[in-house]
Amino acid sequence: MDRFVMLERLPTGFVIPRDLKDRLSYDAATKRLTCNGYMSKTDFDRLSQLTQDWSFRRKLEELFRSCAYNDQPDARSRPRGGLLSGLLRRFVPG
C-alpha cells in the first residue's frame, strides 16, 4: 500500500538510496514523498542520517509512522480475542 506525505521539496543534495528507490519516491509535481509498503526503523534511521534538514526529518518521521504500522495492525496477524487468549488457546488444552 502506498502512503505519502506532502513535501515542498527534497533537501539540497538528498538522494534516495538506490536500494530504496523501488519503495521510496518523490514527485516534485505533486509534492509527494511516497513509500510503497513497509518502512523499517532501520530504513528510517538511515534516511534521516542523510540530511540535517529537520523539516524533512519530521515529514520522514510522519511517513515512517504511517508505513511502519500501516495505521492499523493487520487483523489476520492478531489472535482472535486478544493476545492473551490467543496464547492460552495455543498452550492450554481446550
Side-chain angles (χ1 to χ4, degrees):
M1 176 179 275
D2 286 350
R3 307 286 180 155
F4 69 90
V5 292
M6 300 305 293
L7 183 67
E8 194 63 32
R9 61 171 179 76
L10 286 176
T12 303
F14 182 86
V15 177
I16 296 171
R18 185 179 312 211
D19 63 319
L20 295 178
K21 285 188 183 252
D22 62 328
R23 293 185 293 134
L24 188 68
S25 62
Y26 179 70
D27 185 337
T30 60
K31 300 183 189 292
R32 288 183 176 187
L33 180 63
T34 303
C35 181
N36 181 339
Y38 177 77
M39 181 187 296
S40 71
K41 177 71 164 82
T42 302
D43 292 337
F44 167 75
D45 289 342
R46 182 173 158 214
L47 291 165
S48 293
Q49 295 302 313
L50 296 177
T51 181
Q52 295 298 316
D53 185 325
W54 287 98
S55 62
F56 173 76
R57 285 180 170 191
R58 283 190 292 275
K59 287 294 188 173
L60 186 62
E61 181 177 6
E62 185 180 326
L63 184 60
F64 164 69
R65 287 180 185 212
S66 178
C67 294
Y69 305 107
N70 290 326
D71 291 335
Q72 296 179 346
D74 185 351
R76 293 171 295 178
S77 66
R78 287 181 283 147
R80 296 184 86 210
L83 178 62
L84 184 56
S85 65
L87 288 172
L88 287 173
R89 277 196 304 275
R90 191 176 288 177
F91 296 108
V92 177

